[in-house]
Amino acid sequence: MNYPLKPKQRKNPNVKPALIITVGVFCLIILFSLIQKNSSFSILGPLMSPFWKGEQVTGNFFGTHFEILRNKETLLTENTVLRQKLADLSTLSLERDALILENNQLKSLRSESSDGEVARILTNPSQSFYDLVTAEVTSNSQVIVGDIVFGPGNTVLGTVVDRSGTLVHIRFYSSAGIETLAQLAKNGTAIDLTGQGGGGFIFPAPRDLDIAVGDIVILPALKTSVLGTVQAVEPLRADSFKNVYISFPLNIFSLTFVRISHGH
């Protein structure tokens, strides 16, 4: 009787390569261990030298570049800190300069006259259609409507037109459309100024009027105070008049304090 033979089981073709790789890795581990312990170093050392050198070069390369990156990050952080400190110092310097300027203006106003009281400007003429400003006085201030307002250099600027609590409204003589009777300081000639806004005036002068750029203009009742100076004289017009332009001798847009006089 013949019995059928059992079919031979096919071997997995991937088993043998996998076994070889596993054994190879295991041998390498043992080899590295022996070398690290200086065993058989004279034989295996030359073989492993290229690998060690490559590892050292790679380690040095990445170590150097990581150190550069760390140093760059540190420098950027320090630079940011220094910039912030510089900005803080600049701010402090500006605040100091502003305080010095305000202090000098206060000293100037108080030294020019003991009459009246000092008020702080809260708004400037550019914030209104006319040369009107709001100033602040103390709660026990004696300022009333009609008081005369002076700037640095004893320049006469305008009058108080309203008061509400500690706030007073000041209208400059240069307010648009406002007419002010003034005089030329050099000969007392009366001139009728018309405000143009922005601290400027205009008046039509007769052809033969002796007036030139730089002449000083005052108010009749305040001859020791300057109202303005002549800035320009236009050529004669057809009707034999010439336009004369006058402005305050200071910048009304940069005023911080004014002096309000009660004894006018």
Side-chain angles (χ1 to χ4, degrees):
M1 180 179 290
N2 294 326
Y3 294 95
L5 296 176
K6 293 182 179 180
K8 293 183 179 180
Q9 293 183 351
R10 295 182 178 178
K11 295 182 179 180
N12 190 343
N14 295 325
V15 172
K16 189 174 182 179
L19 180 61
I20 294 173
I21 292 173
T22 303
V23 173
V25 171
F26 182 73
C27 290
L28 286 174
I29 292 173
I30 294 175
L31 182 63
F32 276 113
S33 176
L34 291 174
I35 292 173
Q36 292 296 328
K37 295 178 180 179
N38 296 321
S39 175
S40 302
F41 182 78
S42 62
I43 299 174
L44 299 176
L47 297 176
M48 299 303 299
S49 178
F51 297 98
W52 292 337
K53 290 180 179 179
E55 181 183 2
Q56 184 178 16
V57 170
T58 304
N60 290 339
F61 174 81
F62 286 106
T64 301
H65 281 73
F66 285 144
E67 186 66 26
I68 291 174
L69 290 175
R70 282 196 297 268
N71 290 339
K72 183 177 180 181
E73 183 178 357
T74 302
L75 288 174
L76 289 174
T77 302
E78 292 178 354
N79 188 35
T80 301
V81 173
L82 290 174
R83 284 178 179 274
Q84 184 59 48
K85 289 182 178 180
L86 182 60
D88 293 340
L89 289 175
S90 297
T91 301
L92 291 174
S93 178
L94 290 174
E95 291 177 353
R96 182 201 61 188
D97 292 344
L99 289 174
I100 292 175
L101 179 62
E102 288 187 1
N103 188 48
N104 290 338
Q105 290 180 353
L106 282 171
K107 287 181 177 180
S108 175
L109 287 170
R110 287 169 177 164
S111 64
E112 287 160 358
S113 176
S114 59
D115 172 50
E117 55 190 271
V118 174
R120 176 186 287 273
I121 298 294
L122 301 180
T123 63
N124 64 52
S126 65
Q127 295 172 274
S128 69
F129 292 105
Y130 303 96
D131 285 5
L132 296 169
V133 297
T134 300
E136 185 179 33
V137 295
T138 60
S139 56
N140 59 349
S141 170
Q142 302 299 311
V143 170
I144 59 174
V145 173
D147 283 348
I148 304 295
V149 179
F150 296 86
N154 210 32
T155 301
V156 58
L157 297 174
T159 60
V160 175
V161 293
D162 189 24
R163 175 176 176 179
S164 177
T166 59
L167 300 180
V168 295
H169 297 289
I170 299 168
R171 183 175 65 194
F172 293 155
Y173 293 120
S174 58
S175 183
I178 298 299
E179 294 186 355
T180 303
L181 182 63
Q183 285 182 342
L184 290 176
K186 66 181 181 180
N187 53 27
T189 301
I191 54 178
D192 192 11
L193 305 181
T194 300
Q196 287 193 304
F201 308 85
I202 187 175
F203 82 95
R207 176 175 56 183
D208 57 349
L209 179 63
D210 179 19
I211 190 169
V213 173
D215 284 350
I216 297 174
V217 177
I218 60 175
L219 292 182
L222 299 168
K223 295 186 178 181
T224 60
S225 301
V226 176
L227 174 63
T229 57
V230 176
Q231 300 297 312
V233 179
E234 278 189 350
L236 292 174
R237 303 197 314 247
D239 55 4
S240 298
F241 278 82
K242 51 190 177 185
N243 284 332
V244 179
Y245 297 92
I246 296 169
S247 67
F248 288 125
L250 51 78
N251 184 2
I252 62 174
F253 299 101
S254 62
L255 286 172
T256 305
F257 298 98
V258 292
R259 179 173 59 86
I260 303 177
S261 173
H262 313 308
H264 59 279

